[in-house]
Amino acid sequence: MKSWKNLWKAELDNATPKLRQDVKDQPINVATIPNGKPARVAVYKRKPFMYGVASAVAAVLIAIVLCATLIPVSGNVDTFAFVVEVNPAVTISTDCNGKVTGIVSSNADADVILSDAATVNGLKGNPIDEVIKWYVDQTAQLGYLDTENVKAVRITTVNDGDKLLSKVTDTVEKYFIDNGLKSVVIADIVDLTAFAERSKIDVTNSIKAVTDCVQSFEPIFRNRNADGLSKDELQQIYKDCLSADVFVKSLGDYLNGIIDKIEQNERDVRNLYELNSQIMFHPDNCAIVKDYWNVKTFLKYFDFGEEFAALVKEMDDKVALYNNTYGSDMTDVVDLYYAVKMYDIISAQDLRGILQFFNSDFLTSHIEWLTDIIRSVSIDTSFAEITSLPNTVEEFVDKVRDMVELERTSRAKQFEEIYNSVRDKMSRSDYDKFKSGLFGQYASTDEMWNNLK
């Protein structure tokens, strides 16, 4: 067995860098003095053992210091995060290769863009620059990015994200050039506190923690804090969601499109009510409960007069036609009275006048009534489903998603012509001159963003 001295010697030898053979073969230079005699070369004795240990430890410490200096400040080189703002803002996480691992809305406007869950899931695994280009294109398509005026897109990251930020900037600028858009990218590197403010993700301890949140969060901003809310709280928040200008306009346009049908529905309902009244007060009506639906149960037991039977037959035909026309299921007198009561609250003629000034106040204060009106006249109840108030968190989440999808469809139609306008493609040099001149107009990127967002 080797002695402890030999063991230590072996360990020290292993810790000492080995000299290359060419270094070992180099001749030893001998200094000379003026008289030509060789100078005495000092011969140093071997250093004590502990001196060797100290040297090895020092070498290790130097290596540690060098590594700590070279490792990025964030210490999380395996994940990156970006906030992309065009008023609608999203936060995107990536892996170490810049492949997207998650994307979430950072404000309510961005919910419209991320409304399609399948599309959002399909973005994962794609390069970050291509996903951001897709997002910017979506903001242009839906009218958030003004394609006819000078605008800015701000892309924010933290520390090591700058390695990908340059590539992202180039890709988005190429999109502007190819589509003739006079817009610029404001690339910004901030600390975690500023990043948390822009992303609306209240995490400031590490980018890894931020990216974990992005990957686990519900993508729709308005759905993110629904858990734990009471029914009343959910309904109030949902009413606030419905009061968004774009949705109010969409609903107003929809109601204007079916107002003729609403007026016809009111006439049909009142005709049914009048016919039912004639049946109830007809002298031949011997039923205990005299409305049309109860009379029907007695027809096979009694011989009613021809006139009365004709009224009942007429009611049969009109109820069947009503149910077929409006996709409804009027099955008893309660249904009839409820339909009549709706138009006692607001007549179809009154609604026609209201639609000229339709606004969020009317929507939120008459939401139940509007829901019932839509259900009464239309087989397509998509708007009725959206305007009906949620009772559970699950209903809230589903309704918000349906609502923002509807808003997306409306905005795409509204801005379709502008988005598809033909614009002259710019050259790279012309774009660089435009960008340089624009940046020169502002004292800081913050000032530029505040003016061009």
Side-chain angles (χ1 to χ4, degrees):
M1 185 176 185
K2 293 183 180 180
S3 70
W4 65 270
K5 288 185 179 180
N6 290 332
L7 290 172
W8 274 109
K9 184 178 183 300
E11 289 187 19
L12 289 175
D13 288 340
N14 289 333
T16 304
K18 305 299 182 184
L19 292 177
R20 300 194 314 270
Q21 189 60 44
D22 61 327
V23 175
K24 292 180 180 179
D25 294 338
Q26 289 291 325
I28 298 175
N29 294 323
V30 179
T32 58
I33 55 176
N35 61 11
K37 294 182 180 181
R40 182 180 179 185
V41 179
V43 178
Y44 295 94
K45 294 181 180 180
R46 184 177 179 181
K47 298 295 188 289
F49 163 74
M50 290 307 297
Y51 180 87
V53 173
S55 299
V57 172
V60 173
L61 289 175
I62 290 172
I64 292 173
V65 171
L66 286 173
C67 288
T69 304
L70 295 174
I71 291 175
V73 176
S74 68
N76 293 298
V77 295
D78 56 334
T79 58
F80 304 102
F82 301 83
V83 177
V84 187
E85 297 170 276
V86 193
N87 181 26
V90 293
T91 302
I92 307 173
S93 63
T94 78
D95 60 16
C96 61
N97 297 314
K99 298 295 180 66
V100 169
T101 56
I103 177 169
V104 298
S105 301
S106 295
N107 61 18
D109 286 333
D111 288 346
V112 178
I113 298 173
L114 301 188
S115 60
D116 185 348
T119 298
V120 172
N121 288 330
L123 296 173
K124 296 176 183 177
N126 289 298
I128 179 64
D129 60 320
E130 291 300 320
V131 171
I132 291 180
K133 183 180 77 170
W134 170 87
Y135 176 74
V136 172
D137 181 65
Q138 290 295 299
T139 64
Q141 183 178 343
L142 299 178
Y144 293 110
L145 179 66
D146 188 345
T147 58
E148 298 182 323
N149 294 291
V150 176
K151 288 295 175 181
V153 174
R154 185 165 69 176
I155 304 175
T156 303
T157 191
V158 177
N159 298 330
D160 293 297
D162 63 345
K163 298 174 183 177
L164 293 171
L165 189 56
S166 177
K167 181 181 180 182
V168 168
T169 301
D170 288 344
T171 299
V172 176
E173 286 185 345
K174 186 176 185 305
Y175 168 81
F176 292 150
I177 291 170
D178 290 344
N179 290 276
L181 301 180
K182 290 189 174 182
S183 296
V184 293
V185 175
I186 297 176
D188 209 359
I189 301 174
V190 300
D191 59 23
L192 278 165
T193 300
F195 192 89
E197 182 179 349
R198 294 180 186 180
S199 66
K200 301 299 185 294
I201 297 175
D202 191 19
V203 175
T204 57
N205 54 325
S206 71
I207 277 295
K208 181 63 168 60
V210 172
T211 57
D212 286 346
C213 288
V214 174
Q215 294 173 54
S216 63
F217 275 0
E218 155 68 37
I220 302 299
F221 184 79
R222 280 171 275 197
N223 284 342
R224 202 163 296 156
N225 298 312
D227 288 340
L229 296 180
S230 68
K231 174 182 172 181
D232 289 342
E233 289 171 328
L234 289 170
Q235 291 188 349
Q236 184 54 56
I237 293 173
Y238 191 69
K239 284 183 178 181
D240 293 340
C241 292
L242 290 176
S243 65
D245 290 342
V246 173
F247 181 76
V248 172
K249 183 181 185 306
S250 297
L251 181 57
D253 291 344
Y254 175 75
L255 291 170
N256 268 304
I258 63 171
I259 188 62
D260 290 342
K261 198 170 186 180
I262 293 174
E263 288 184 331
Q264 183 60 52
N265 180 266
E266 181 178 13
R267 287 193 292 270
D268 291 343
V269 165
R270 296 200 183 279
N271 285 337
L272 289 174
Y273 179 83
E274 177 60 31
L275 190 54
N276 183 66
S277 296
Q278 292 180 39
I279 292 171
M280 289 180 65
F281 297 106
H282 195 280
D284 288 351
N285 189 341
C286 59
I288 298 172
V289 182
K290 297 179 178 293
D291 67 82
Y292 155 77
W293 285 272
N294 281 284
V295 165
K296 290 274 291 181
T297 65
F298 287 91
L299 284 178
K300 58 185 177 182
Y301 301 114
F302 296 94
D303 184 17
F304 293 99
E306 290 185 5
E307 182 181 87
F308 186 76
L311 286 175
V312 174
K313 178 62 170 63
E314 183 182 356
M315 189 71 169
D316 286 342
D317 294 339
K318 288 191 173 181
V319 168
L321 179 62
Y322 182 89
N323 287 336
N324 184 61
T325 301
Y326 302 106
S328 61
D329 187 21
M330 187 177 288
T331 59
D332 57 36
V333 73
V334 175
D335 292 338
L336 174 60
Y337 286 169
Y338 190 84
V340 172
K341 183 66 175 177
M342 285 193 306
Y343 293 106
D344 286 342
I345 295 172
I346 298 176
S347 70
Q349 184 177 357
D350 288 339
L351 178 60
R352 184 181 286 277
I354 290 168
L355 289 177
Q356 298 179 42
F357 310 99
F358 191 72
N359 57 35
S360 60
D361 290 338
F362 181 82
L363 167 59
T364 54
S365 59
H366 294 84
I367 188 168
E368 292 88 353
W369 180 83
L370 286 167
T371 300
D372 289 339
I373 286 291
I374 294 170
R375 281 182 173 155
S376 296
V377 303
S378 178
I379 296 175
D380 177 10
T381 59
S382 55
F383 265 101
E385 292 303 318
I386 292 173
T387 54
S388 62
L389 295 176
N391 295 310
T392 65
V393 171
E394 291 75 16
E395 287 182 5
F396 177 88
V397 168
D398 289 342
K399 286 179 179 296
V400 167
R401 190 173 292 280
D402 289 342
M403 182 182 64
V404 295
E405 285 181 355
L406 186 66
E407 186 175 340
R408 176 190 175 85
T409 301
S410 176
R411 291 192 71 103
K413 183 177 180 180
Q414 179 183 353
F415 294 99
E416 181 178 12
E417 185 176 347
I418 296 174
Y419 174 75
N420 291 324
S421 297
V422 177
R423 288 172 287 271
D424 293 333
K425 180 178 178 179
M426 288 183 281
S427 67
R428 182 78 226 192
S429 60
D430 286 342
Y431 180 81
D432 288 342
K433 289 178 183 177
F434 155 73
K435 182 177 70 171
S436 177
L438 191 61
F439 272 86
Q441 295 177 27
Y442 298 95
S444 66
T445 55
D446 285 343
E447 180 187 348
M448 184 179 184
W449 170 245
N450 289 329
N451 280 274
L452 297 181
K453 64 182 179 181

